[in-house]
Structure formats: structure tokens, C-alpha cells
Amino acid sequence: MESFERKQSDIEKLLKEGKTVQIMPEGYSMYPLFVPGRDWAVIEPLSGKKPKRGDVVLYRRKNSILVLHRVYKCRGNSCYMVGDNQSETEGPIGEECIRGILIGVVRRGSYLPVSNPLYKLLSGLWLLLRPLRPALSAAAAYLKRVFMRR
């Protein structure tokens, strides 16, 4: 079995060669966009594009792992990132750390491009709600507890 680090370097190599990759994100930082073990991210190289607010990008943290998060804002040649299941931003992340950009999601065998109007609407709305995410999560957990008792 390949090591996690080896898989990540293979992903970076393919993107550097100009190839599109399909990966299954791990963890819950991008929930509800990605459910671990179910959904796939289709990522292409940046190819000279500048990341912008709302884009989901694959980047390497300094001396660490590859991360797939949404761009919250860009200032100069740096971006600030946030997971869809997080409220705290991370950054600045230099554009040189960004390896690729999300172009679509594969969920239960169906492909949804990020150009889809519904995807754009929902991801834009979710990004606007970033400051309210802790309260929304608490309310959702409370409602789940209440309705699960019945």
C-alpha cells in the first residue's frame, strides 16, 4: 500500500504535468460539499489562472499536507482559505502553494461541474454565512437531537 505522502506527491506531479486528477477528500473540513468515503473532487492545474473568492483550491501547507479548501479572500499574491465546515480562516497562503483548482464534484456517480448555477448559488451563500456557521451547526445539532427522540 502506498504511503499518504507518496500519494500526495503523485497528485502534485500529475497536476504539474498539466493533467486533471480525481481525488477522494478525507476528513470533514469541506462537509457538506464532500462526504468522506463517498464524494470525489475533480481538480485541474491552475494553468496561469488567478484563484478568486469562492474557488475551491488544492494547496500545500508549508512543510505539511495537501489541503482542499475554499478561497475566502485574496490580497495581492496571497489567499485566505476556509473549509466549508469551518468558520476560521487560514492564511495568508501564497499562490505558489496552490496546486490546482476544483472543476467538479462526483457524487454517487453523477458529475456536477462548478459552473452549474445551483452549485454557484449554494457555495456563494455558504461562503457568506461563514461567520454564522458555529451557530448554524449548534442549531442543526439541537434539531437533530430533538427529532431523533421522537
Side-chain angles (χ1 to χ4, degrees), residues 108-127:
R108 295 185 186 107
S110 295
Y111 179 74
L112 176 69
V114 298
S115 60
N116 179 289
L118 183 59
Y119 171 88
K120 286 182 170 185
L121 175 71
L122 293 176
S123 63
L125 178 63
W126 195 241
L127 194 55

Side-chain angles (χ1 to χ4, degrees), residues 8-50:
Q8 289 198 356
S9 90
D10 289 346
I11 291 166
E12 287 179 294
K13 181 180 177 212
L14 290 168
L15 288 167
K16 194 171 187 172
E17 291 171 358
K19 297 182 176 148
T20 298
V21 298
Q22 186 170 308
I23 62 170
M24 185 177 279
E26 299 175 2
Y28 284 89
S29 69
M30 284 301 289
Y31 181 86
L33 179 60
F34 294 107
V35 174
R38 183 190 76 186
D39 302 328
W40 293 84
V42 182
I43 301 165
E44 70 177 12
L46 273 178
S47 302
K49 296 178 206 161
K50 295 277 279 179

Side-chain angles (χ1 to χ4, degrees), residues 29-30 59 68-72 80-90 127 130 133:
S29 69
M30 284 301 289
Y59 63 96
L68 188 66
H69 278 171
R70 192 174 301 278
V71 175
Y72 180 66
Y80 293 80
M81 311 296 183
V82 66
D84 282 357
N85 195 27
Q86 299 173 328
S87 58
E88 297 296 318
T89 59
E90 174 184 3
L127 194 55
R130 185 193 64 82
R133 288 180 192 170

